[in-house]
Amino acid sequence: MKFESANFKLTKEMIRIMGGNEKAEPFNYFADQTIKAFLAVRRFEDQLFNMIKLTSYSGLKCFRPKSLQNLKERFMPKQNDLQAAASMK
């Protein structure tokens, strides 16, 4: 079983629905809301990580040796909120 390694996959079709380019108001609204959601979820990083870590013991093939480490890194734990938000743009 293979999973997308990108943090998020934004397709051409999705961009078209949001105005067709990154300068369109709907696209910017989407980007702002996505960043706000990410920052909100970061506050619960430890709880989410611990739940997923428990699941990793299930033997599911989607959990590879570095899966948990990669997940931890996606939360950008060494960055403050301002830096993490800037990294998403």
Side-chain angles (χ1 to χ4, degrees):
M1 184 179 303
K2 293 187 178 185
F3 286 93
E4 181 68 46
S5 62
N7 293 337
F8 179 78
K9 187 172 185 176
L10 186 63
T11 66
K12 292 176 185 176
E13 293 81 12
M14 293 167 72
I15 294 172
R16 193 171 342 139
I17 289 170
M18 293 183 282
N21 62 57
E22 295 177 10
K23 295 179 182 177
E25 186 178 332
F27 180 87
N28 284 313
Y29 178 77
F30 167 78
D32 289 343
Q33 295 303 307
T34 301
I35 291 169
K36 287 178 184 177
F38 173 69
L39 295 176
V41 170
R42 282 181 85 213
R43 293 184 210 135
F44 302 98
E45 170 191 350
D46 291 334
Q47 293 91 330
L48 287 167
F49 183 81
N50 288 334
M51 281 193 314
I52 294 168
K53 186 175 181 180
L54 288 172
T55 307
S56 73
Y57 300 123
S58 67
L60 293 172
K61 293 179 182 180
C62 61
F63 290 104
R64 299 204 171 112
K66 290 193 172 194
S67 293
L68 293 174
Q69 179 183 344
N70 291 340
L71 173 64
K72 196 88 162 157
E73 290 172 5
R74 287 183 180 197
F75 281 105
M76 302 178 214
K78 295 179 182 176
Q79 296 183 5
N80 63 33
D81 281 353
L82 192 59
Q83 293 167 324
S87 294
M88 292 188 67
K89 290 186 177 187

